[in-house]
Amino acid sequence: MLTSFHGKIAVSLALAGSGLALPTVATAQEEDSGPITISANAALTTDYRFRGVSLSGGDPAIQGGVDVAHESGFYVGTWASSIDGGDAYGEMEFDIYAGWSGDVSDGVAVDVGVLYYAYPTEELGLDTDYWEPYASVGFTLGPAEATVGAAYAFEQDSLGGDDNLYVYTDLGYALPSTPISLSAHLGYTDGALAPPFLAGSADDSGLDWSLGASVASGILEVGVAYVGVEGPSIDGFTDDAIVGTISASF
């Protein structure tokens, strides 16, 4: 599937170890209900990695989301994950997003929208929530897929008055006549959310990457990904990791 911030495309991002907010992704199956489509997903992952950085302290996380889409291409949705955020961020990330996605030509799709990251269980009364508009273009050629995208969190108090730019590319390949898919991800962060900066380095830019494989059967998908990130290696935070995920889509 084309990785997107739509629903984090929640389960596929978890499988790929990237994440788009949005974070974190098997595309949820959709029930035909006229012009409105409702889909949902749930996942258990061994480590919630957001752009290479663990938000669950290297521990397992429970995730899930719901999308409501109109046949015109407009959609809204929510996605949540357990995290290990301490008093400042609490134990849960809750995302709300809205946007438009659709084909612009044969094999070319566009997704644009805005995502709001919220941390409703934080205990210090700090301003931790932030906004992040995003856009991506996806290309499909037979069993191969590629996505290039960007997300920009403008200057906000929750980011220390700074901003953050994230650009990425995702590649996917479904092995013909098999339930197996392969994926690769490369991302670059510049700003307040840069992996080295979060790990205590003075460098406010950095790369993250992942290589993964998944097997799908019905509503279930099982995947594994090797996730790496540039900067100081902190165990359970920015160290390289092998992440396993099992997800269900409805």
Side-chain angles (χ1 to χ4, degrees):
M1 57 151 285
L2 295 176
T3 303
S4 144
F5 282 80
H6 182 196
K8 286 269 184 178
I9 294 263
V11 181
S12 292
L13 292 181
L15 293 177
S18 59
L20 204 161
L22 303 133
T24 114
V25 207
T27 304
Q29 293 180 340
E30 300 177 343
E31 297 183 7
D32 187 2
S33 56
I36 302 295
T37 300
I38 300 176
S39 58
N41 60 77
L44 175 63
T45 183
T46 60
D47 190 354
Y48 172 24
R49 292 272 168 160
F50 178 69
R51 300 172 185 172
V53 176
S54 177
L55 299 189
S56 59
D59 294 328
I62 299 173
Q63 304 172 332
V66 177
D67 291 324
V68 179
H70 188 266
E71 62 184 4
S72 63
F74 289 99
Y75 61 82
V76 296
T78 63
W79 185 85
S81 177
S82 59
I83 63 173
D84 182 9
D87 292 342
Y89 288 90
E91 303 302 319
M92 183 177 73
E93 174 189 327
F94 183 74
D95 303 339
I96 305 172
Y97 50 86
W100 179 90
S101 65
D103 296 334
V104 294
S105 66
D106 187 25
V108 180
V110 171
D111 187 4
V112 294
V114 62
L115 193 150
Y116 181 70
Y117 297 87
Y119 302 90
T121 61
E122 64 88 15
E123 299 179 359
L124 299 181
L126 302 176
D127 185 359
T128 54
D129 302 351
Y130 66 97
W131 295 88
E132 188 178 65
Y134 58 85
S136 66
V137 181
F139 307 89
T140 303
L141 180 60
E145 300 175 320
T147 302
V148 292
Y152 178 69
F154 48 86
E155 293 183 6
Q156 298 165 68
D157 291 342
S158 55
L159 300 180
D162 200 354
D163 61 357
N164 190 81
L165 173 66
Y166 185 69
V167 294
Y168 67 95
T169 183
D170 290 306
L171 302 175
Y173 184 77
L175 297 181
S177 303
T178 76
I180 301 173
S181 296
L182 306 177
S183 63
H185 164 83
L186 178 64
Y188 172 78
T189 307
D190 186 2
L193 300 177
F197 187 75
L198 293 177
S201 170
D203 189 356
D204 62 354
S205 64
L207 298 170
D208 70 276
W209 57 87
S210 68
L211 294 172
S214 63
V215 178
S217 178
I219 67 170
L220 296 178
E221 184 171 2
V222 177
V224 62
Y226 180 85
V227 183
V229 64
E230 185 179 7
S233 179
I234 300 177
D235 186 38
F237 185 56
T238 58
D239 54 327
D240 291 2
I242 296 176
V243 178
T245 303
I246 181 170
S247 63
S249 52
F250 313 93

